[in-house]
Amino acid sequence: MKQSLGILAALLVSALTACGAPPPAEAPEPLGEESSALVSCSTSCPSGPSLSCWGNSCSAANNAYVQCDGVYQYCATTPPPLDCSYSYEACVNLVGTACSPPGSRRKCCIQAEPFGNCACSTRNTWECTVPDEP
């Protein structure tokens, strides 16, 4: 009888395991911690407002774009209309001021009219020309 109880117990354990009894509980893994800080990037644009963005990672190229978390913002390629009511648009006030990149061009104002042309020199300063009057 003792032998048959032992066999019966072994069969019962085997049957429970084969029928999908849950395995012994394992200790849960500790949760990982992750921390991050937002960063910002910005750039000025030669023909419009400056650009900036916030994200987990970013990069920027002067006068071209900013990029945050893989999303790019590009500087406008068409300059806004020249507003000669501002003194900083006057040719006389632009000559010799800093510019970038060399070879870029822009208009400037002569007596409240957008007739002047400026080019960024290899010294990274504006050089402006005035058209000849007839």
Side-chain angles (χ1 to χ4, degrees):
M1 179 83 169
K2 286 184 181 182
Q3 193 176 23
S4 54
L5 282 177
I7 293 173
L8 183 60
L11 286 173
L12 183 61
V13 170
S14 296
L16 286 175
T17 304
C19 291
E26 295 180 19
E29 292 184 29
L31 295 176
E33 288 187 31
E34 183 177 321
S35 65
S36 64
L38 290 177
V39 293
S40 71
C41 285
S42 62
T43 187
S44 59
C45 295
S47 61
S50 61
L51 301 174
S52 63
C53 65
W54 289 84
N56 292 314
S57 66
C58 69
S59 63
N62 284 338
N63 302 314
Y65 71 87
V66 293
Q67 174 272 132
C68 285
D69 298 334
V71 177
Y72 285 79
Q73 295 179 55
Y74 293 94
C75 288
T77 56
T78 304
L82 194 60
D83 186 350
C84 291
S85 65
Y86 295 111
S87 63
Y88 61 82
E89 299 288 9
C91 296
V92 295
N93 293 334
L94 279 173
V95 173
T97 60
C99 61
S100 178
S104 58
R105 299 188 162 284
R106 66 169 290 173
K107 291 283 206 184
C108 62
C109 299
I110 301 169
Q111 297 177 355
E113 295 296 328
F115 295 139
N117 293 299
C118 298
C120 187
S121 71
T122 56
R123 297 179 315 234
N124 287 35
T125 58
W126 287 115
E127 294 178 354
C128 301
T129 59
V130 179
D132 293 330
E133 291 186 34

